Amino acid sequence: MLNTHIKTERLELKNLDDKDAASLLEIFSDPEVMKYWNTPPWNSIEQAREFISTSADAMRNSSALTLGIYCKETKQLLGKVMLFNYDKESRRAELGFGIKREYWGKGIVYEASSALVEYAFSHLQLRRLEAEIDPDNTASGKALERLGFEQEGLLKQRWEIDGIVSDSAIYGLLAK
């Protein structure tokens, strides 16, 4: 999974690099971006560097695939898209994404995620993709449904972050 590079009409999906740490911190320290995540907002450049390092390790051992979402035209890092909790034997993984707030509602998540879903089913030969979101995160729910995912269940009181307890909606998508 290392050195994956996927191009779309407006985007390039490719491995994160150490030089991306400051941009990642800017994106994932935003409380609005992290509002529905199961971790608090980042607060140090070291967290961004650790994420890049951990992501590279996971890609080397084929347990996850994390790609930066870059604008083709400006080369700016807009966010990330990932396949994680990869189970090779069961041919399944979870899809995750996060982008800079100023790019919300512009089709970036859909474009990047569509390309990664296609890659997962055609190149990795996955049979199933899953996603877990806070049910209050209607924008992500709509994005998943637009990608063809269906809500399959609800896990009550699944997470507690900074004293806030939340549920998880579970979505699934099967290879066609």
Side-chain angles (χ1 to χ4, degrees):
M1 285 195 231
L2 200 54
N3 295 321
T4 301
H5 195 154
I6 302 169
K7 292 183 180 186
T8 69
E9 183 180 334
R10 299 178 294 168
L11 307 171
E12 287 187 64
L13 310 179
K14 59 185 180 178
N15 296 29
L16 293 164
D17 187 280
D18 288 335
K19 70 181 178 346
D20 295 319
S23 294
L24 277 177
L25 177 60
E26 181 185 350
I27 296 165
F28 295 102
S29 64
D30 181 340
E32 283 300 305
V33 170
M34 299 298 284
K35 182 176 181 177
Y36 297 113
W37 289 56
N38 61 3
T39 58
W42 297 357
N43 58 24
S44 74
I45 194 74
E46 205 44 55
Q47 284 177 287
R49 288 186 184 118
E50 179 63 26
F51 179 82
I52 292 166
S53 174
T54 301
S55 295
D57 289 345
M59 287 169 39
R60 271 191 285 283
N61 70 32
S62 296
S63 63
L65 175 62
T66 301
L67 301 173
I69 303 170
Y70 299 84
C71 175
K72 263 188 189 176
E73 190 175 300
T74 66
K75 308 300 182 206
Q76 179 185 6
L77 179 67
L78 309 180
K80 65 181 171 77
V81 64
M82 56 195 301
L83 296 173
F84 61 102
N85 290 335
Y86 174 57
D87 186 321
K88 188 173 183 173
E89 187 176 310
S90 294
R91 296 178 33 221
R92 63 157 294 279
E94 289 185 51
L95 174 73
F97 45 78
I99 64 167
K100 196 171 189 174
R101 190 177 353 159
E102 69 189 74
Y103 294 99
W104 290 0
K106 299 184 184 321
I108 302 296
V109 165
Y110 178 77
E111 188 172 332
S113 296
S114 291
L116 189 56
V117 166
E118 160 64 26
Y119 181 85
F121 289 144
S122 64
H123 289 65
L124 300 177
Q125 300 298 305
L126 295 186
R127 177 183 48 79
R128 176 181 170 79
L129 289 174
E130 298 170 353
E132 174 186 343
I133 65 166
D134 185 310
D136 291 337
N137 188 349
T138 55
S140 287
K142 287 177 183 174
L144 290 169
E145 289 169 2
R146 187 170 174 216
L147 289 164
F149 282 76
E150 294 180 10
Q151 186 175 343
E152 297 178 339
L154 183 69
L155 303 175
K156 300 276 191 178
Q157 298 185 16
R158 178 134 163 95
W159 299 104
E160 182 170 349
I161 306 298
D162 292 335
I164 297 171
V165 177
S166 63
D167 300 339
S168 282
I170 305 300
Y171 287 77
L173 176 66
L174 300 178
K176 307 263 183 283

